[in-house]
Amino acid sequence: MTRPLRLSFKTQPQLGNWADLERCWQELDASGEFEAGWLFDHFYPILEPREDGPCFEGWTALAFLAGKTSRLRLGLMVSGNTYRHPALLAKMCATIDVASQGRLLIGIGAAWNQTEHDAYGIEFPPLKTRMDMLEEACEVLDLLLRQQESTFSGEHYQLQSAFCEPKPVQQPRPPIIIGGAGERRTLRIAARFADHWNYPGRDALELRHKLGVLERHCAEVGRDPSTIEVSAHIFEPFDDVESIRHAKEMHEAGCDELILYSKAPYDARRLQDLAKKIRSAVG
């Protein structure tokens, strides 16, 4: 059965100014309507014709917002694995979790934006290789954030008697959120490592199908699928009737968390108002 609905928000850290983004997060932290706040992990604006527009780096922005909020759980939906070695990412995650007093959510995916990779000289391997890297990265994160000392020998990543201290506040580690809808690899990796899977689409029928695939992967690895939370986005333009209808469909299809996905200019009051209406309609 679907769990009680949780609501979060996500602000695109692009094509806007920092003061407005920070103010929005602080207002929503104080309001109590949302459980978590999310940013994305890109170096260029996405889904826009301009590549030279402003776009804040996700992890440094998140660390700053952790210090400007006190209640919200917070993370990137999702961090691109190819951008950072997973051992470095583990250190970043442990630091932010300690600094935020246990509020970090670790979103991670295989990465997809070739333009950013090419521009910055970051290797962009074929999809199969990126998926192999993601699977190894999840294991590296899990080891370093749980164990006192970790050794790992993979094709892409290696650890030799590695430490990651101090450990996160959350035990055994902060939740890992895997984003993506690939049935053969992404959902299998989610079955192995995810505490939370994010469905990136908009279709409730497709979500039900993907959840069936995830359940089959869970059976293969001996995992109870009910231990994996499920989320999806509610996209702009926000409309009370359509957004509430979509929220109800996605919740009934199996979503535990719905994320109101906002572009600049950020409107905290509008997000709060819509969250109240969704909560009232969905229960």
Side-chain angles (χ1 to χ4, degrees):
M1 293 182 63
T2 303
R3 288 172 278 242
L5 178 66
R6 298 192 312 277
L7 293 174
S8 301
F9 67 91
K10 180 176 175 180
T11 49
Q12 290 185 355
Q14 66 175 28
L15 305 178
N17 67 72
W18 180 262
D20 289 345
L21 179 65
E22 180 182 335
R23 185 181 306 111
C24 179
W25 274 65
Q26 289 183 308
E27 289 180 13
L28 296 178
D29 182 59
S31 76
E33 289 295 333
F34 296 97
E35 177 175 310
W38 304 90
L39 301 173
F40 68 38
D41 187 26
H42 289 285
F43 307 139
Y44 285 6
I46 62 169
L47 307 177
E48 299 288 343
R50 288 185 59 193
E51 294 179 346
D52 63 343
C55 185
F56 295 107
E57 194 281 324
W59 278 102
T60 48
L62 193 73
F64 187 89
L65 291 168
K68 291 291 184 176
T69 56
S70 61
R71 180 189 59 82
L72 287 168
R73 306 201 76 185
L74 67 172
L76 300 189
M77 185 67 79
V78 289
S79 183
N81 178 57
T82 52
Y83 296 140
R84 303 163 193 86
H85 192 288
L88 169 62
L89 182 59
K91 287 295 297 182
M92 294 162 60
C93 290
T95 298
I96 294 178
D97 197 60
V98 171
S100 67
Q101 300 181 347
R103 292 187 285 133
L104 180 67
L105 301 164
I106 306 173
I108 190 165
W112 58 268
N113 193 320
Q114 184 167 358
T115 299
E116 295 173 337
H117 290 75
D118 292 346
Y120 287 179
I122 301 170
E123 185 179 358
F124 187 69
L127 179 59
K128 180 186 181 304
T129 303
R130 298 202 312 277
M131 297 309 301
D132 293 342
M133 293 170 68
L134 175 62
E135 190 157 14
E136 287 189 16
C138 288
E139 191 160 357
V140 167
L141 285 169
D142 189 62
L143 290 172
L144 286 171
L145 294 173
R146 287 177 184 264
Q147 297 186 168
Q148 182 179 9
E149 184 175 337
S150 299
T151 295
F152 178 78
S153 181
E155 181 179 354
H156 303 283
Y157 306 114
Q158 295 79 41
L159 303 174
Q160 183 61 49
S161 301
F163 298 98
C164 183
E165 299 296 335
K167 286 289 183 284
V169 170
Q170 297 179 80
Q171 293 296 315
R173 57 159 170 70
I176 289 177
I177 296 88
I178 292 178
E183 296 182 10
R184 192 172 65 87
R185 294 299 306 276
T186 303
L187 291 177
R188 189 182 76 185
I189 295 170
R192 287 190 64 198
F193 294 106
D195 303 288
H196 174 154
W197 169 60
N198 176 254
Y199 166 65
R202 305 174 184 232
D203 187 271
L205 289 177
E206 183 184 53
L207 172 60
R208 291 180 188 272
H209 168 73
K210 300 290 184 183
L211 286 172
V213 175
L214 179 61
E215 289 175 3
R216 291 195 292 274
H217 283 306
C218 285
E220 291 170 1
V221 300
R223 178 87 183 271
D224 179 356
S226 70
T227 63
I228 302 175
E229 298 180 355
V230 179
S231 66
H233 296 87
I234 302 295
F235 295 92
E236 290 188 298
F238 297 136
D239 173 84
D240 286 354
V241 174
E242 286 302 309
S243 296
I244 290 171
R245 179 192 61 78
H246 188 210
K248 291 175 72 173
E249 288 181 353
M250 299 304 280
H251 184 243
E252 290 169 359
C255 273
D256 309 302
E257 178 176 344
L258 293 173
I259 304 164
L260 306 189
Y261 192 1
S262 177
K263 303 176 183 179
Y266 315 106
D267 188 341
R269 290 188 179 180
R270 176 66 177 121
L271 291 171
Q272 291 176 64
D273 180 64
L274 181 57
K276 291 176 182 177
K277 291 176 180 178
I278 290 174
R279 200 179 301 280
S280 176
V282 176

